[in-house]
Amino acid sequence: MTPVLRTERLLLDPYTPEDEEAFVALFQDTRVSRWMGDGPTTEAEDRALFGRVFTKVYAEDLFDVWAVRRDGRLVGHAEIKRTDEVDGHEIIYALAPGAWGSGLGTEIAEAVVAYGFDALGLTEVHATVAATNTASLALLARIGFAHVRDVREDDGSTTRVLTRHRTPADA
């Protein structure tokens, strides 16, 4: 079961059915969704994705996925999951544009990485980021991720694969 994580300003906890509208609003915001998966999807697809969080991810304990809240409001999304694309565990995070530029993305990423190292016992954590997503690339570099390789996508774009190795400071 996905545990509750806390940072200085954020609560990362499992989604509840009442989060559906805020989840869909976050994923429908093209400033956010352009960086997620294969990019923007329909509202129906995002509602179906939200449903699968409960019927598949939580029900089958597939991986950890969190609603990110600040002062009780949903402001983001976070995950850590095993993926063959990086042959390891990848962190995924998204933050509503109204919360950009205040260090909350760093708090989310740090909390999920720490969870991966501490609770899951990982020795390394990965992230895949569009090469044009300079804000996320800078954030990950600041918290110790290093560029490992580039993946050329079918549409001609480039995805950067970054890795952070566990260090004694992470213990």
Side-chain angles (χ1 to χ4, degrees):
M1 185 66 189
T2 297
V4 172
L5 306 178
R6 295 180 192 281
T7 72
E8 183 180 330
R9 299 175 289 171
L10 299 172
L11 172 69
L12 285 71
D13 66 350
Y15 282 100
T16 67
E18 294 75 31
D19 292 322
E20 183 172 359
E21 295 309 316
F23 175 95
V24 170
L26 176 69
F27 279 68
Q28 282 294 293
D29 189 320
T30 55
R31 295 169 293 176
V32 176
S33 61
R34 68 185 281 210
W35 307 117
M36 302 291 289
D38 293 326
T41 57
T42 67
E43 180 179 335
E45 288 171 310
D46 288 338
R47 287 190 189 282
L49 175 62
F50 185 78
R52 285 192 304 277
V53 167
F54 296 95
T55 62
K56 294 289 287 175
V57 178
Y58 290 157
E60 299 177 20
D61 199 22
L62 296 180
F63 55 90
D64 296 298
V65 58
W66 294 272
V68 178
R69 304 177 201 283
R70 181 172 189 197
D71 301 326
R73 282 189 24 256
L74 186 98
V75 297
H77 171 88
E79 305 176 14
I80 187 167
K81 64 183 177 181
R82 176 118 179 64
T83 176
D84 291 336
E85 188 169 337
V86 294
D87 192 29
H89 281 74
E90 176 181 17
I91 65 166
I92 297 165
Y93 57 90
L95 193 59
W100 291 356
S102 59
L104 295 178
T106 300
E107 282 187 41
I108 296 168
E110 285 278 32
V112 176
V113 167
Y115 173 77
F117 289 156
D118 300 339
L120 301 180
L122 303 176
T123 58
E124 62 184 21
V125 176
H126 308 277
T128 57
V129 181
T132 53
N133 188 347
T134 55
S136 198
L137 291 169
L139 181 160
L140 292 166
R142 277 194 310 275
I143 65 169
F145 278 78
H147 176 242
V148 176
R149 64 185 166 90
D150 287 339
V151 175
R152 194 74 160 156
E153 302 295 346
D154 292 339
D155 65 2
S157 66
T158 300
T159 297
R160 295 250 151 98
V161 177
L162 303 104
T163 301
R164 177 170 161 183
H165 295 277
R166 184 182 185 130
T167 67
D170 293 314

